[in-house]
Structures are given as C-alpha cells and as structure tokens.
Amino acid sequence: MPPLPPSLPSRESGELLDHLLDSLFEDFRSWFERGLVLLDHTPDALLPPLEQRQLRERLEEALRALSALSDEAMAAAQSAAAEFDSEFVEDETEAAR
C-alpha cells in the first residue's frame, strides 16, 4: 500500500502555531530586554565592565536575531495563508463545475 500524501495543515492549526510563536517571541523579547535593564543596574563588583559589555552585546544580538526570526515567521505565515486561500478557491471552483 503506497504512503498517503501529506495533508495540508488546517487554517486553525496555522493560526494556533502563529499565536504560539508570537507568544514565545514576546516572552524571549521580554526576558532579553529585562536582562539589559538588570545589566544597567549591575555593580562592577558583581560583574566586571568587560563582562558586562560582552553580555550586553550578546543580549542585543539575541534581540536582533529574534526580531529577524519573528519577521521571517510572519512572512512565512502570510505566504502560507495566501497559498491556503488560493488552493481553497481552486477547490471551490472545481467543485462548482
């Protein structure tokens, strides 16, 4: 018996994934920004200035990467939604014939 072709995810599952990703991105953004605020108030005796700069650079890079990833996820979701809609229209058109 041949394997079944993969089915397209439903619109609801795509919306759920988008919601979960948005929530995760916001959580990461919040914690990275919180790290920067805490770093602003970290005494040099606790974390030497060189290590503070290095940590700040890493947090800022993480925020930039997160922003890029969020943008890519949004673009992919919009592309998938457009593809889903066009396939739905094609199916409806064929059904009407």
Side-chain angles (χ1 to χ4, degrees), residues 39 52-62 64:
L39 199 52
Q52 287 184 33
R53 281 192 301 277
Q54 291 170 338
L55 182 54
R56 178 174 303 284
E57 288 171 7
R58 290 173 51 203
L59 287 167
E60 289 171 346
E61 175 60 28
R64 286 190 295 274

Side-chain angles (χ1 to χ4, degrees), residues 7-96:
S7 62
L8 293 174
S10 70
R11 179 173 284 250
E12 293 82 21
S13 64
E15 290 172 357
L16 176 60
L17 179 61
D18 291 345
H19 177 72
L20 290 172
L21 285 175
D22 287 344
S23 178
L24 283 172
F25 291 149
E26 188 55 39
D27 285 348
F28 277 111
R29 186 175 298 108
S30 174
W31 284 110
F32 292 153
E33 289 172 352
R34 176 73 175 143
L36 289 170
V37 169
L38 291 172
L39 199 52
D40 287 339
H41 297 90
T42 301
D44 292 348
L46 182 62
L47 191 64
L50 176 61
E51 291 180 37
Q52 287 184 33
R53 281 192 301 277
Q54 291 170 338
L55 182 54
R56 178 174 303 284
E57 288 171 7
R58 290 173 51 203
L59 287 167
E60 289 171 346
E61 175 60 28
L63 281 168
R64 286 190 295 274
L66 182 63
S67 179
L69 185 59
S70 177
D71 291 346
E72 288 176 20
M74 188 180 338
Q78 290 171 348
S79 175
E83 183 177 328
F84 182 83
D85 286 342
S86 69
E87 288 180 13
F88 179 75
V89 168
E90 288 174 11
D91 290 345
E92 290 293 312
T93 302
E94 288 177 16

